[in-house]
Amino acid sequence: MAIISLSKLLIFLFALTVGLIALARTQEAVELKGRYTVIAIFSALAAFTLSLAWTVAPAADAFGSLAKYGKLLLPILIMMLIRDRREALYALGAFAAAQLFLLVSSWALFFGVPVPWATSNMALTERAVFSSYLDQGIMTGVFAALCWHLRELVPGRFGKQVAIAAAVVALGNVFFVLSGRSGHVVAIALLSLAIMWELPKKYRASVVVLPFLIALGLFASSTKVRDRLTQVGHEVQSYSAKGVSTTSSGVRLAFWHRALEMMKEKPVLGAGVGSWSTEYNRLERSQNPAHLDIGGNGNPHQEYLLWGLQLGVPGVAFLFALMGAVLWDARRMEKIYARATLSVLAGLAVACLFNSSLYDALIGDFFCVCLGLLLAAGLSKPADAAVPNTSRGSPA
């Protein structure tokens, strides 16, 4: 976390320096005009900032949550710093190398090879290297999709084959090594999307059934997937029958129920930024005076509901607008960049159904950096081009 925080500070300082130098030379700092993602990010951050005026959260929680959403600036800062496609590809290469290092480390843990740099408390039990198996499963599933869609960009005689092999090994890690159910679902969704794009257009409607077929195959072949899916069924059944909220699924269902209650109470403006913990404790105490308060800056493990309870129905609209803006910007990219960007976006959209994947540290930083790199690569001009690249290749 310290390394990530320091890195984000450096990115901010470098971007600020680039902007000030451009102003001193009366030049445009970067080509951000017409990029809808930039507008959507600033609009969302402005809404969260304005909600400080009516938030029910203590100041520490309110400003702490606002700071967490500050990571949404990363895509903009990355686009400011990357000047052309060549630089974007170097950055993507460094990003891929780091993810490959993470993947190899996880497999090493699986085979019992000592990994001194594995700092996670789940390293020996769940083969998670730095964070949790939940975060790592989602990140590795997204990395597999990037390897597949950007395989043509890997240099070397066998670069394409290496990228495909990395994608296969990454999917194997998600489905057969890691236990994160969110990672399983994200990987299934992205695998289905990749298969759909490889099919002739007349067969692409099969994407509706592909996830279920893949899940069925994994249920039969992977003990990790089978055990975790079976566990979800038991946990949901236990919560429905007995109201047991001590399990992973039970806690999520209880949190989601409370979040919906909060949205129902304040549907127009919400309870303000950072209000989840305060409102949750209030509702719990109303039914159980002995309730032990949860700590501040928490979340209901669902990004859509988190934006909704903080900003009301408009908050959910802001989140959909942000995703829609990335989708719209991807339409201006060449096919390989568009498909890679849409895959990351799809992974984010799915992950947000079960976790607060933009609000949380680590996984939120991963998605913001990943989208920033892809937007920079897909929308920037080639290094030797005299004019901006206006290719409008369709992701289809």
Side-chain angles (χ1 to χ4, degrees):
M1 288 300 302
I3 293 173
I4 291 174
S5 298
L6 178 60
S7 299
K8 288 191 289 187
L9 175 61
L10 290 174
I11 288 175
F12 173 79
L13 293 176
F14 288 148
L16 180 62
T17 302
V18 168
L20 291 176
I21 291 175
L23 285 175
R25 296 177 178 176
T26 63
Q27 299 172 346
E28 286 191 32
V30 286
E31 296 177 17
L32 296 179
K33 185 178 180 181
R35 298 184 181 181
Y36 293 97
T37 303
V38 175
I39 299 172
I41 288 173
F42 278 131
S43 298
L45 290 176
F48 279 118
T49 303
L50 287 174
S51 74
L52 289 170
W54 64 81
T55 184
V56 300
D61 288 0
F63 285 100
S65 292
L66 186 61
K68 280 178 170 285
Y69 281 121
K71 67 172 70 74
L72 290 173
L73 289 172
L74 282 173
I76 299 175
L77 299 178
I78 289 172
M79 285 189 282
M80 288 180 63
L81 290 170
I82 293 178
R83 295 171 295 181
D84 54 48
R85 185 163 293 169
R86 182 178 61 183
E87 290 187 356
L89 292 179
Y90 281 134
L92 275 171
F95 180 81
Q99 293 303 310
L100 190 60
F101 175 78
L102 180 71
L103 177 62
V104 171
S105 299
S106 181
W107 274 109
L109 289 170
F110 177 75
F111 288 113
V113 179
V115 181
W117 51 85
T119 57
S120 171
N121 57 10
M122 298 182 179
L124 298 181
T125 57
E126 300 293 347
R127 283 81 187 183
V129 184
F130 299 118
S131 57
S132 69
Y133 62 78
L134 186 155
D135 288 349
Q136 189 169 315
I138 296 172
M139 291 188 289
T140 305
V142 171
F143 175 60
L146 291 179
C147 289
W148 174 256
H149 294 301
L150 301 178
R151 61 192 183 277
E152 301 289 349
L153 301 178
V154 181
R157 180 179 178 183
F158 300 104
K160 178 179 177 180
Q161 290 77 5
V162 170
I164 294 173
V168 173
V169 172
L171 288 177
N173 187 258
V174 175
F175 293 135
F176 297 98
V177 176
L178 299 173
S179 301
R181 289 169 290 194
S182 298
H184 295 161
V185 176
V186 167
I188 289 171
L190 298 189
L191 181 57
S192 302
L193 201 57
I195 293 174
M196 182 205 71
W197 276 325
E198 295 301 321
L199 293 173
K201 289 188 177 182
K202 63 180 180 179
Y203 296 122
R204 289 186 178 179
S206 62
V207 72
V208 177
V209 297
L210 272 175
F212 300 99
L213 294 176
I214 295 172
L216 185 62
L218 289 169
F219 190 85
S221 60
S222 170
T223 55
K224 287 287 185 182
V225 174
R226 180 169 59 252
D227 291 346
R228 296 296 278 170
L229 288 179
T230 302
Q231 186 180 4
V232 169
H234 292 325
E235 291 175 354
V236 172
Q237 186 178 23
S238 179
Y239 178 80
S240 300
K242 305 175 184 178
V244 177
S245 59
T246 55
T247 63
S248 176
S249 300
V251 167
R252 279 175 167 77
L253 290 171
F255 280 179
W256 297 350
H257 174 70
R258 287 302 190 199
L260 288 170
E261 289 182 329
M262 297 174 199
M263 287 185 64
K264 186 177 179 180
E265 288 183 358
K266 301 176 180 179
V268 179
L269 294 177
V273 64
S275 58
W276 158 254
S277 296
T278 300
E279 288 292 88
Y280 177 79
N281 290 330
R282 176 182 65 82
L283 291 173
E284 286 294 310
R285 281 195 302 270
S286 67
Q287 295 185 0
N288 177 20
H291 165 70
L292 297 177
D293 288 354
I294 62 173
N297 293 130
N299 66 84
H301 296 287
Q302 224 263 23
E303 193 75 45
Y304 304 99
L305 292 177
L306 180 59
W307 286 49
L309 70 92
Q310 294 179 107
L311 300 176
V313 175
V316 181
F318 275 118
L319 182 53
F320 279 122
L322 175 57
M323 293 181 178
V326 176
L327 174 64
W328 192 259
D329 282 338
R331 290 169 56 87
R332 302 169 53 195
M333 301 178 185
E334 296 170 25
K335 184 169 66 175
I336 58 172
Y337 298 107
R339 288 183 175 181
T341 304
L342 293 179
S343 293
V344 176
L345 181 62
L348 174 63
V350 173
C352 285
L353 291 170
F354 312 105
N355 308 280
S356 299
S357 296
L358 281 175
Y359 182 78
D360 284 340
L362 299 179
I363 188 65
D365 296 309
F366 169 84
F367 275 115
C368 288
V369 170
C370 196
L371 287 173
L373 292 174
L374 289 171
L375 288 167
L379 296 175
S380 63
K381 61 185 178 182
D384 56 350
V387 295
N389 178 27
T390 57
S391 174
R392 300 183 63 87
S394 169

